[in-house]
Amino acid sequence: MMKQTLRKRVLSTSLFLALGLGATSAAELKLAVVAPKSGPFAILGDQVRQGASLAAGKLSITLVEIDETCSEGSGKAIAEAVAAAGAKAAIGFLCSESLKDALPGLKEDGLPAFTLSVRWKGLMEDAIKGGSPLFRLAPNADQEAAKLSDVILRDWAGSAVALLEDGTIRGRELTETIRLSLEERGLKPAFVDTFRPGQEQQLALVRRIRNAGVTHAFIGGDRSDVAVIARDAKAEGLPLTLLGGEAMRAADEPVPLEDGVLAVGLIETPRGPAEGELTAKLDKTDIEPEGYVVPAHAAVTILADAWGISTAMGTPVADTLIGTTFETALGPVAFGEDHELTENPYRLLEWRGDSFVPVPDKTQ
């Protein structure tokens, strides 16, 4: 009965504290922020620490920063450091190498962990089987292809669709997954092709697309290749709607992306009731809402709410995380029994001017 009650609960941190349920517990809450402090991933670690600090400062939560080296075998020491610091939970874990070895120690100490990055489904499945309180505040490995397939089926039904991939393992596997999903649901692509990536022009590919009568194309490749194909299609006078995956989140160079190119990706800017306040705070501190800034902010506020529920109702924190909808800077967030996000976080985006903007929700 209690779990059913929790599943119907929708909470925002401000409301929770206003009700007096979380004020005491928030003051007592200590969280570990596990993220790289040096090396090639340090800039991502900075994003995690910035987002967490913005949330923790408002809630009087103590943060303990723990370095994540992302090296094999480093997870055990990380778990020991989290427990030694007296943290009640941990967020971050950008690397699977660190996370998989940290899980046994975190499980032993009963400490929930949020990964903001690791998408490997097998790791989560093993964690659940082993009883580890791991939660994923990020997409899993299947959700990008699922969202791309849904967009194509919803918006391109009746159109001549091409699936193009760049021959890399990632491009080929993503495109093949989409192809199988489309064909299982009754849409057979009009044209499937592999192109050579990294070329200065793709006129031969564009002409093959024209000859196939294609009007819409998914491209399993890098942003730079999509930009070249879009430019060459425009030069050839070929009206062509292009859609890419998460790889489109990259530098807009050397060829600028054409307006109207679509992508499936994550929205990085704040949303929900706290959008205005957090945006103002980000502007004031000169922090860009990119990468892991907003997810880290959301992770802290979720754990503040969950800790408050746990304290008030005498339930384990991990149990309060399952089935409760939390209002966060990412929008509403809920976790299922599998500790995954209950809603696919990918959204359809469109390139306009100098950035991707979300396509209005009514067409999502």
Side-chain angles (χ1 to χ4, degrees):
M1 179 66 73
M2 182 173 289
K3 184 169 283 189
Q4 292 175 347
T5 301
L6 290 174
R7 289 180 181 176
K8 296 177 181 177
R9 191 180 298 273
V10 180
L11 295 173
S12 69
T13 301
S14 59
L15 174 60
F16 199 65
L17 295 177
L19 291 172
L21 294 174
T24 300
S25 59
E28 299 170 352
L29 181 57
K30 180 184 288 186
L31 300 178
V33 180
V34 180
K37 291 186 176 182
S38 60
F41 303 124
I43 187 170
L44 304 180
D46 288 341
Q47 293 170 357
V48 176
R49 287 182 284 273
Q50 288 168 343
S53 295
L54 286 172
K58 179 179 179 181
L59 299 173
S60 299
I61 292 172
T62 301
L63 298 180
V64 179
E65 296 181 0
I66 296 174
D67 188 20
E68 183 179 20
T69 62
C70 295
S71 58
E72 288 285 350
S74 63
K76 182 179 179 181
I78 288 175
E80 291 172 350
V82 172
K88 303 301 183 183
I91 72 164
F93 292 104
L94 303 189
C95 303
S96 58
E97 294 85 353
S98 309
L99 180 58
K100 64 185 177 65
D101 292 327
L103 287 176
L106 295 172
K107 173 193 172 184
E108 184 177 341
D109 293 310
L111 302 177
F114 278 15
T115 176
L116 306 182
S117 173
V118 177
R119 309 203 176 171
W120 177 18
K121 284 194 70 178
L123 189 148
M124 177 62 83
E125 291 168 355
D126 290 344
I128 297 301
K129 289 177 183 176
S132 295
L134 173 65
F135 293 82
R136 195 192 325 257
L137 196 60
N140 65 39
D142 293 340
Q143 288 178 310
E144 180 184 16
K147 183 64 177 181
L148 286 161
S149 299
D150 288 345
V151 167
I152 293 170
L153 286 163
R154 184 194 66 203
D155 297 345
W156 295 1
S159 300
V161 175
L163 299 181
L164 313 172
E165 50 96 355
D166 62 3
T168 64
I169 293 175
R170 171 174 165 73
R172 182 169 61 250
E173 290 182 348
L174 178 60
T175 306
E176 180 65 6
T177 300
I178 293 169
R179 183 188 68 79
L180 292 173
S181 177
L182 296 180
E183 292 186 354
E184 287 173 358
R185 295 151 79 180
L187 194 160
K188 184 174 179 60
F191 183 60
V192 178
D193 200 4
T194 301
F195 63 89
R196 186 176 178 183
Q199 303 302 294
E200 293 184 0
Q201 55 89 8
Q202 292 285 0
L203 289 172
L205 174 63
V206 168
R207 288 164 185 162
R208 292 199 301 273
I209 293 171
R210 182 200 296 277
N211 292 339
V214 166
T215 57
H216 296 70
F218 165 75
I219 301 180
D222 290 341
R223 179 194 180 106
S224 57
D225 291 319
V226 177
V228 169
I229 294 168
R231 180 202 63 193
D232 290 353
K234 182 178 180 180
E236 289 287 295
L238 175 63
L240 186 62
T241 300
L242 296 178
L243 171 66
E246 195 172 20
M248 298 292 286
R249 289 281 197 185
D252 193 31
E253 56 184 32
V255 177
L257 204 58
E258 297 286 336
D259 278 358
V261 171
L262 301 170
V264 157
L266 303 176
I267 299 176
E268 297 183 331
T269 53
R271 285 167 282 161
E275 177 182 348
E277 181 182 353
L278 181 54
T279 299
K281 191 178 295 185
L282 290 167
D283 290 341
K284 185 177 180 180
T285 54
D286 291 327
I287 296 174
E288 291 294 327
E290 59 187 6
Y292 298 109
V293 172
V294 176
H297 185 284
V300 170
T301 59
I302 290 170
L303 285 167
D305 283 350
W307 180 251
I309 299 172
S310 173
T311 301
M313 298 187 174
T315 57
V317 174
D319 286 354
T320 68
L321 289 167
I322 298 172
T324 305
T325 299
F326 300 93
E327 289 294 346
T328 77
L330 290 171
V333 170
F335 299 99
E337 296 284 352
D338 58 0
H339 296 197
E340 300 274 15
L341 294 170
T342 57
E343 291 191 12
N344 192 327
Y346 283 110
R347 294 292 181 266
L348 181 61
L349 311 172
E350 182 178 9
W351 184 256
R352 287 293 170 195
D354 61 357
S355 64
F356 278 109
V357 297
V359 173
D361 286 342
K362 66 181 180 179
T363 61
Q364 289 286 329

